[in-house]
């Protein structure tokens, strides 16, 4: 089955810096790659996603890149703000299966 | 706003006492999922419904059951909660299976005493 590795597990940056979180997946048939942000005590919230026919997608300060050949995808957050502090999960999906990475705890220091 | 609503937000139950968590959706999605999330871990899928078609994950304990009486509602029943069942329980929906965007509820935090 699909396996998703996510790195780093924790990331601390200064406000205004960029943050990058990387994920690799094992099943080349995976075709949908969402990123979720989860704040303490809340459910995961979809922040950006990318499908396998696209290499890059951007939404304001957030971007995701996908390299199908290498089977890895990354989340890029620019100009980080304290409210970006949360746990971020990547995931890879085939049909009804959505496999999550183990999460990255991002801390943005003012 | 169309959304996924979970009730209650916090639930305390006694060891061995049956408990039911509820989820409702206004998105009219075909698929509803239940996930268990323990502290500092990723969500783990327990089961899901496509309409009324129930699908159980192989490693979901028999202690966990689910009901979906209609499109809008789905329930998670824990027949005899143990201390190890304390977790956040997340409900999610998607329109269908093919790369469907999942929308999550805010979760129910279950404490077993």
């Amino acid at each position: 089955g699909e396996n998703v590795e996510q790195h780093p597990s924790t990331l601390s940056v200064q406000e205004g810096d960029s943050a990058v979180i990387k994920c690799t997946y094992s099943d080349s048939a995976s075709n949908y790659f969402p990123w979720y942000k989860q704040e303490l005590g809340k459910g995961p919230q979809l922040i950006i996603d990318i499908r396998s026919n696209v290499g890059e997608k951007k939404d304001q300060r957030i971007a995701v890149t996908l390299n199908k050949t290498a089977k890895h995808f990354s989340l890029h957050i620019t100009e980080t703000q304290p409210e970006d502090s949360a746990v971020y999960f990547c995931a890879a999906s085939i049909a009804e299966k959505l496999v999550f990475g183990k999460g990255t705890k991002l801390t943005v220091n003012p | 706003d169309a959304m996924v609503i979970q009730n209650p937000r916090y639930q305390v139950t006694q060891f061995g006492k049956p408990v039911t968590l509820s989820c409702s959706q206004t998105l009219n999605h075909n698929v509803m999922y239940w996930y268990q999330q323990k502290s500092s871990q990723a969500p783990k899928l327990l089961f899901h419904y496509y309409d009324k078609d129930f699908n159980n994950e192989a490693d979901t304990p028999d202690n966990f059951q689910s009901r979906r009486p209609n499109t809008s509602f789905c329930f998670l029943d824990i027949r005899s909660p143990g201390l190890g069942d304390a977790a956040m329980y997340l409900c999610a929906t998607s329109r269908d299976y093919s790369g469907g965007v999942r929308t999550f509820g805010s979760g129910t935090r279950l404490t077993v005493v």
Side-chain angles (χ1 to χ4, degrees):
Chain A
E2 176 65 280
N3 183 49
V4 177
E5 299 281 343
Q6 182 172 348
H7 299 281
S9 56
T10 61
L11 179 59
S12 182
V13 300
Q14 288 299 122
E15 182 177 359
D17 288 350
S18 295
V20 180
I21 303 171
K22 298 182 179 182
C23 289
T24 60
Y25 61 100
S26 60
D27 193 332
S28 56
S30 290
N31 57 10
Y32 174 64
F33 305 91
W35 284 89
Y36 289 90
K37 174 183 180 183
Q38 188 173 26
E39 296 174 318
L40 196 62
K42 297 185 178 180
Q45 179 187 8
L46 179 71
I47 55 171
I48 196 165
D49 56 9
I50 192 166
R51 296 192 184 272
S52 57
N53 57 348
V54 176
E56 184 174 358
K57 184 176 178 181
K58 189 173 181 180
D59 182 4
Q60 299 182 358
R61 296 185 299 108
I62 296 172
V64 58
T65 59
L66 171 65
N67 182 326
K68 285 191 297 182
T69 303
K71 288 189 281 189
H72 67 71
F73 56 113
S74 300
L75 177 71
H76 304 253
I77 306 174
T78 58
E79 301 171 24
T80 53
Q81 302 166 2
E83 51 266 38
D84 294 330
S85 296
V87 178
Y88 291 80
F89 290 99
C90 65
S93 175
I94 313 171
E96 75 276 16
K97 295 293 184 185
L98 182 69
V99 179
F100 287 90
K102 293 191 174 184
T104 296
K105 183 177 181 181
L106 174 65
T107 303
V108 180
N109 301 300
Chain B
D1 288 340
M3 53 198 310
V4 180
I5 302 165
Q6 290 188 244
N7 284 305
R9 288 295 310 278
Y10 302 93
Q11 176 73 57
V12 180
T13 191
Q14 291 181 334
F15 182 94
K17 184 176 180 180
V19 64
T20 295
L21 310 182
S22 72
C23 177
S24 64
Q25 56 130 340
T26 59
L27 296 157
N28 204 32
H29 281 173
N30 292 311
V31 192
M32 294 188 78
Y33 308 82
W34 278 104
Y35 289 84
Q36 179 192 62
Q37 186 178 28
K38 295 191 175 181
S39 183
S40 303
Q41 296 183 20
K44 177 181 180 297
L45 183 64
L46 296 173
F47 25 61
H48 61 280
Y49 281 91
Y50 191 105
D51 195 14
K52 287 192 177 291
D53 182 21
F54 177 72
N55 298 274
N56 199 36
E57 290 297 293
D59 57 353
T60 298
D62 292 339
N63 198 26
F64 291 84
Q65 303 287 318
S66 185
R67 297 170 282 136
R68 189 179 184 186
N70 54 52
T71 301
S72 301
F73 286 87
C74 196
F75 300 97
L76 170 61
D77 301 307
I78 308 177
R79 291 192 296 188
S80 182
L83 297 178
D85 296 327
M88 172 80 89
Y89 290 88
L90 296 163
C91 175
T93 72
S94 65
R95 184 174 303 281
D96 55 38
Y97 281 148
S98 38
V101 176
R102 281 167 181 71
T103 301
F104 282 83
S106 295
T108 294
R109 170 72 65 187
L110 178 68
T111 301
V112 182
V113 297

